[in-house]
Structure formats: C-alpha cells, structure tokens
Amino acid sequence: MTLPEGVERRSFEGRERLATSGPPAYGEPVVDGWRLWDAGRSKLGAMLDGGFDTGLRGGETVLYLGAAAGTTVSHVADFAGPTYAVEFAARPMRDLLSVARDRENLFPLLTDARRPETYAHVVEPVDVVIQDVATRGQARVALENRRFLGTDGRLIAAIKARSEDATRDPAPVFEDAVAELETGYEVLETGRLEPSHADHLGVVARPEDGTF
Amino acid sequence: MTDGWFAGLEPGDTEAAAASIREGTAEEPADWPALAVQAGFAEDEASYYRLLRAATVAAASAAATERERADDRQLVHAVRVMDDCREAANGLAERVAEWGGSRDADAGAGLDYARELADSEPSDPVDRRVASLARRVVDLDEERERLRRFVERTAPEVAPNLTAMAGPVLAARLIALAGGLAALAKKPSGTVQVLGAEDALFAHLRGSAPSPKHGIIYTHEYVRGTAREQRGSAARALAGKLAIAARVDHYSGERKPELETELDARIGRIREREGGT
C-alpha cells in the first residue's frame, strides 16, 4: 500500500522504519530531520506499517480522538493539514501541549470524545477521523463523531478489546464492535494489530450515506 | 444555525476566546474557517488558524491547570487531617466522659455522650467547661466528616483508576503513606501490599515476627472479606492491581476499567479455591 505523502520508510540503525519530518516531540530518534515513527508505540503507525489501505494521502484535515500525550498525533500533524486533537485526561494534556507548541496545525482540545457537542463549535468538517480511545463503547464514539465526516470521509480506528470487556475473548468483542459500527459506517477493512498491539483491531470505514 | 467559537469575540482577546472554546457547544460542525473570514473575525484562513491555535492552546492549558490544582498534595493533606481529627475527637471524647463522669454518675461515653453534652446549657461554671469541651469534640467530628466528603470528591480526579479500585479513602491513604502519587507509582506491588504495616515489617526484618501479609489494604473488602487462608493471596493480587492503577494514573491519567474487571476475576478465582468465602 502507498504511504501518505510526508510518511517515508527511512533507515534507522540499518532497519527500514516509518518516519515523518517535523520538530522532535518526545525523544524519538531523528536522522536527517526524519523522526522515527515506532509502529510498536503507535496503532496508526502499526496500521500503515502493516499495509492497511487507510486512504490517507497527506494534507487531510483530521479529527484525532484519544490523542493522549501526543506521540501519534505529532506524526499525524507532520503529514496532515489542520489536526484537531481531543484528549480527556489532564495529565497527558501537558505533554500534548508541548507537542502542539511546535506545530502550527495542531489544535489541542481537553474534552470528552463521547460528547462531540462540546467541540463541534470548534472543529470543522474533516476528511479523516482517527480514533484511539480506551473507553467502553468505542463503536458508539465512532458513530457519535460521524457528524464530522463527509460522504468521502474516512474513519481509521483502533478498537481495544480489553476496554470493552477484559474477561471475554477478543474475537467476539471485535465482532460486536464492527456490527455496531456497521449501523452507520461501511467497513472497508479490518485486521488485528498483533504482534505490536495485543488485542487491538484496526478498522478503516467510510460513512454510510443516507442512514442515521 | 449555531455559532462558532469566535462569535462575538475580538480577534486579539485570547482569554475570551479560550473561555468560548471551553464553554461553547454546537450540535453540528460547520465550515468555521470560511464563516470566520466571512464574519470578518479573521482576514484569511491562515490567520484564522493562527487565532484558533492560540485559543485552543490557552483553553487546554487553563483547563489542565484547573484540574491539576485538585492535585495529590491537597488530597494527602486532607486525608491526614481527616485521620487526625478522628483521633483527636476520640481522645477528647474520652476526657469529656472522664470529666463528666466525675460530675454525674450516669454519664455516658464516647462521641455520643459528647454530642449529648454539647446540646446542654448548664449554669454551673464547671459543667459549662465540660459542655464547652464537648462542643469542640462535636466540631472536630463534623470537620472529619466534611474532610471525608472532600476526599471522596477529590480522589477520583487525582487518581481515577486507583480510586475506582480502592475507594476514595483507601486510595488517598495509600497516596499519603507513599508520600504522593508519583512516589506510589514508583513502588513495587510488594511494598504497596505492606504500606501502613511498617512496624510489623521492621519487626519481621529484625527476625522477631512473621512477615506482614498486608498493611492498610486490609481495609479493602477483597482482603478483609476473604477467608484467612487465602488472605495473603488476595492481598497480593489486590496490591498488584493497585500498583498498576497508580502507575496508569500518574503516567497517563487514562481510565482503564479493564483493571477492575481483571481484579474481580482474579479475586473470584482465589475465593473459589477455599470453596466460598
């Protein structure tokens, strides 16, 4: 699969790894201005590295849900256009703010991804929603945030089985989540993110027109 | 049509803009950059994004500071004073009972007796002193109750995962015993298991006592409510998860409900070993 423009495979200590070009953010290795994007630390990185057809080309407007300390979002802002980063916890927001300080196109929002009405007055319609929220009801979060996507938009989500139910086997948890997603999205691709992210399912989907 | 965050704002007023970002709402998104240019708020798209960035950074920073102000140090002070208030109230209640007993053969004991005396208005100068002291005891007990409510409100903000698992008061005591959330997050689970049992631990290290199975976590239902033979296992399992919860709270702050589910399942298995509790 082709990588979005602004994401390249570069050589780090003799190994081909994903990298983006931008100001260093969290102590990652940098070679010739290219920052290592470790697929083991980033679910979106693992999806790109694993050949998912994410539809990302580079330069998109992005709504990122579950930005945490900003590791992945720093790379997204490197290759994307305006990037809105929603995070609910105060502590990681500190790190996210320092990532945002060096990036003109990154807009941090300390709010709850389950309540889009608290940020729809700030976030414009976007090309891509990237979701990585460790909360129960992850499919619900994706459905709630569908309002930000046009018909050509993409949802790129990492579903964490243990956030839904830590005692159930992940496979049926994923089936339920995908079934719920399909009430508002057309699911284009799914795949497990092992070995780098245990019990996570990567999902690429596009809003179903007419419904909802 | 709802308004965007910039409605009614002066372009240079970052403070008002941050407030609008934090407090505003809209059901649906709209092409805010174009609308802002149309409304004359920004000259062009690039200047809109500059204003937006300044406003979102200011809003997120202010909101984070506000939440962190309810920080672990305040929680530590509150839970320590709460315990001091209880100790002082009980100690003084004993004095009240002792003193009252010397004046009245039917005098009661403890906090209940202090409450009874606090409502009385004797005319005798000595009885007035005893009643006055009783009122201090009741005040202290009420202060303890208010502090407990403060701890219950604050602990979930400071340490959401630890609080969900341990309850607010035990969570606060563990943080206080360790000397802060950062310090607790660095402790191995074996240390968390015996926090609050330092006397017994040092007696054991001197060779004069068996190793303690649990410290303050004994107050948790999962330890206290488990049969004696399995209590060490329960305490170890609980301490392990509490140590992880403290680390998640300190380093990420993200809620991980699966930690509780895992602990519930683990305790269930431990209790099955003994054939019920």
Side-chain angles (χ1 to χ4, degrees), chain A residues 174-186:
Chain A
F174 292 144
E175 274 170 38
D176 290 355
V178 169
E180 192 180 345
L181 269 182
E182 281 172 338
T183 63
Y185 286 94
E186 180 190 350

Side-chain angles (χ1 to χ4, degrees), chain A residues 61 68 82 84 87-95 97 100-111 116-125 132-136 147-148 160 162-163 165-167, chain B residues 3-6 20-33 48-49 52-53 56-57 60-61 63-65 67-68 157-159 181 249-259 261-262 265:
Chain A
T61 306
Y84 297 87
E87 171 53 44
F88 189 43
R91 224 177 298 268
M93 178 53 78
R94 286 272 157 236
D95 295 327
L97 278 165
R101 219 152 276 147
D102 293 331
R103 284 171 173 78
E104 286 179 0
N105 59 332
L106 183 54
F107 312 112
L109 296 164
L110 183 72
T111 184
E117 71 277 8
T118 62
Y119 49 90
H121 66 304
V122 180
V123 179
E124 63 196 286
D132 180 13
V133 293
T135 168
R136 213 164 283 195
R147 68 187 74 180
F148 293 99
K160 183 179 182 183
R162 291 156 78 82
S163 291
D165 188 336
T167 55
Chain B
D3 288 334
W5 62 276
F6 46 83
S20 166
I21 300 254
R22 292 178 61 184
E23 288 150 24
T25 59
E27 273 311 308
E28 296 293 330
D31 190 351
W32 305 126
Y48 168 79
Y49 283 127
L52 174 63
R53 181 158 163 280
T56 51
V57 168
S61 172
T65 305
R67 285 221 219 138
E68 280 173 353
E157 288 170 23
V158 170
L181 181 59
D249 286 335
H250 176 62
Y251 292 106
S252 102
E254 208 175 287
R255 230 359 226 113
K256 290 201 187 302
E258 65 264 32
L259 289 175
T261 331
E262 287 163 7

Side-chain angles (χ1 to χ4, degrees), chain A:
Chain A
M1 282 311 137
T2 50
L3 294 169
E5 197 169 321
V7 183
E8 292 189 7
R9 291 186 195 279
R10 312 281 298 195
S11 175
F12 289 86
E13 295 182 341
R15 283 180 58 205
E16 293 282 300
R17 314 279 295 274
L18 292 183
T20 63
S21 174
Y26 52 90
E28 69 282 17
V30 180
V31 173
D32 299 333
W34 286 85
R35 310 162 47 228
L36 171 66
W37 186 359
D38 185 352
R41 285 185 62 174
S42 165
K43 281 146 236 162
L44 180 63
M47 287 174 76
L48 287 172
D49 201 36
F52 271 74
D53 187 3
T54 60
L56 287 167
R57 290 187 172 76
E60 287 91 351
T61 306
V62 175
L63 171 58
Y64 194 110
L65 306 172
T71 308
T72 300
V73 111
S74 73
H75 293 286
V76 171
D78 282 352
F79 71 79
T83 303
Y84 297 87
V86 172
E87 171 53 44
F88 189 43
R91 224 177 298 268
M93 178 53 78
R94 286 272 157 236
D95 295 327
L96 181 58
L97 278 165
S98 82
V99 171
R101 219 152 276 147
D102 293 331
R103 284 171 173 78
E104 286 179 0
N105 59 332
L106 183 54
F107 312 112
L109 296 164
L110 183 72
T111 184
D112 188 345
R114 290 168 300 187
R115 298 181 55 211
E117 71 277 8
T118 62
Y119 49 90
H121 66 304
V122 180
V123 179
E124 63 196 286
V126 298
D127 303 312
V128 185
V129 169
I130 302 175
Q131 178 179 319
D132 180 13
V133 293
T135 168
R136 213 164 283 195
Q138 294 164 94
R140 188 78 240 150
V141 171
L143 291 167
E144 287 286 342
N145 284 278
R146 205 189 83 141
R147 68 187 74 180
F148 293 99
L149 287 171
T151 40
D152 287 339
R154 283 286 182 283
L155 167 76
I156 305 174
I159 306 282
K160 183 179 182 183
R162 291 156 78 82
S163 291
E164 299 295 332
D165 188 336
T167 55
R168 265 174 87 200
D169 186 49
V173 174
F174 292 144
E175 274 170 38
D176 290 355
V178 169
E180 192 180 345
L181 269 182
E182 281 172 338
T183 63
Y185 286 94
E186 180 190 350
V187 174
L188 302 172
E189 186 177 3
T190 65
R192 297 282 285 259
L193 302 183
E194 267 92 4
S196 51
H197 302 277
D199 302 333
H200 279 79
L201 184 76
V203 179
V204 180
R206 108 177 128 216
E208 196 121 273
D209 11 277
T211 62
F212 230 47

Side-chain angles (χ1 to χ4, degrees), chain B residues 107-142:
Chain B
L111 279 167
D112 287 337
Y113 176 60
R115 271 188 213 107
E116 197 180 301
L117 273 193
D119 291 336
S120 68
E121 281 173 21
S123 50
D124 179 275
V126 176
D127 288 341
R128 278 221 298 273
R129 298 291 18 103
V130 183
S132 171
L133 181 60
R135 280 193 287 277
R136 303 309 135 228
V137 172
V138 173
D139 283 348
L140 275 174
D141 190 53
E142 283 170 359

Side-chain angles (χ1 to χ4, degrees), chain B residues 232-248:
Chain B
S233 306
R236 200 160 51 244
L238 175 63
K241 286 292 180 221
L242 292 176
I244 294 170
R247 276 169 229 160
V248 174

Side-chain angles (χ1 to χ4, degrees), chain B:
Chain B
M1 164 98 215
T2 24
D3 288 334
W5 62 276
F6 46 83
L9 292 178
E10 289 296 319
D13 191 349
T14 307
E15 211 165 288
S20 166
I21 300 254
R22 292 178 61 184
E23 288 150 24
T25 59
E27 273 311 308
E28 296 293 330
D31 190 351
W32 305 126
L35 290 169
V37 174
Q38 230 173 66
F41 176 72
E43 268 174 43
D44 52 22
E45 206 172 75
S47 80
Y48 168 79
Y49 283 127
R50 267 196 302 280
L51 292 166
L52 174 63
R53 181 158 163 280
T56 51
V57 168
S61 172
T65 305
E66 218 165 86
R67 285 221 219 138
E68 280 173 353
R69 212 165 275 158
D71 71 357
D72 61 332
R73 302 309 315 166
Q74 309 310 312
L75 185 62
V76 167
H77 285 301
V79 77
R80 281 183 182 155
V81 177
M82 183 185 107
D83 287 343
D84 288 348
C85 280
R86 194 194 42 228
E87 218 168 280
N90 287 336
L92 284 176
E94 245 173 75
R95 284 268 178 268
V96 168
E98 225 174 274
W99 198 351
S102 75
R103 311 280 300 167
D104 173 7
D106 295 331
L111 279 167
D112 287 337
Y113 176 60
R115 271 188 213 107
E116 197 180 301
L117 273 193
D119 291 336
S120 68
E121 281 173 21
S123 50
D124 179 275
V126 176
D127 288 341
R128 278 221 298 273
R129 298 291 18 103
V130 183
S132 171
L133 181 60
R135 280 193 287 277
R136 303 309 135 228
V137 172
V138 173
D139 283 348
L140 275 174
D141 190 53
E142 283 170 359
E143 187 58 29
R144 181 200 54 75
E145 181 55 26
R146 278 193 291 271
L147 285 161
R148 190 180 59 75
R149 286 200 294 266
F150 175 82
V151 167
E152 283 173 356
R153 267 199 318 275
T154 313
E157 288 170 23
V158 170
N161 292 291
L162 189 66
T163 302
M165 217 178 275
V169 172
L170 177 55
R173 288 212 173 101
L174 286 168
I175 292 170
L177 283 166
L181 181 59
L184 183 61
K186 292 186 179 80
K187 297 219 180 298
S189 75
T191 305
V192 174
Q193 192 180 335
V194 296
L195 271 179
E198 283 73 13
D199 289 352
L201 181 64
F202 288 123
H204 165 65
L205 293 175
R206 281 195 304 272
S208 56
S211 72
K213 299 285 175 292
H214 39 66
I216 189 80
I217 64 167
Y218 179 72
T219 58
H220 197 286
E221 152 65 19
Y222 276 170
V223 180
R224 213 177 32 189
T226 297
R228 182 175 293 278
E229 313 81 70
Q230 308 294 348
R231 224 173 254 168
S233 306
R236 200 160 51 244
L238 175 63
K241 286 292 180 221
L242 292 176
I244 294 170
R247 276 169 229 160
V248 174
D249 286 335
H250 176 62
Y251 292 106
S252 102
E254 208 175 287
R255 230 359 226 113
K256 290 201 187 302
E258 65 264 32
L259 289 175
E260 291 132 71
T261 331
E262 287 163 7
L263 176 64
D264 293 349
R266 176 97 188 87
I267 295 290
R269 283 195 297 276
I270 288 171
R271 287 182 172 178
E272 268 166 28
R273 291 211 292 250
E274 67 200 352
T277 52

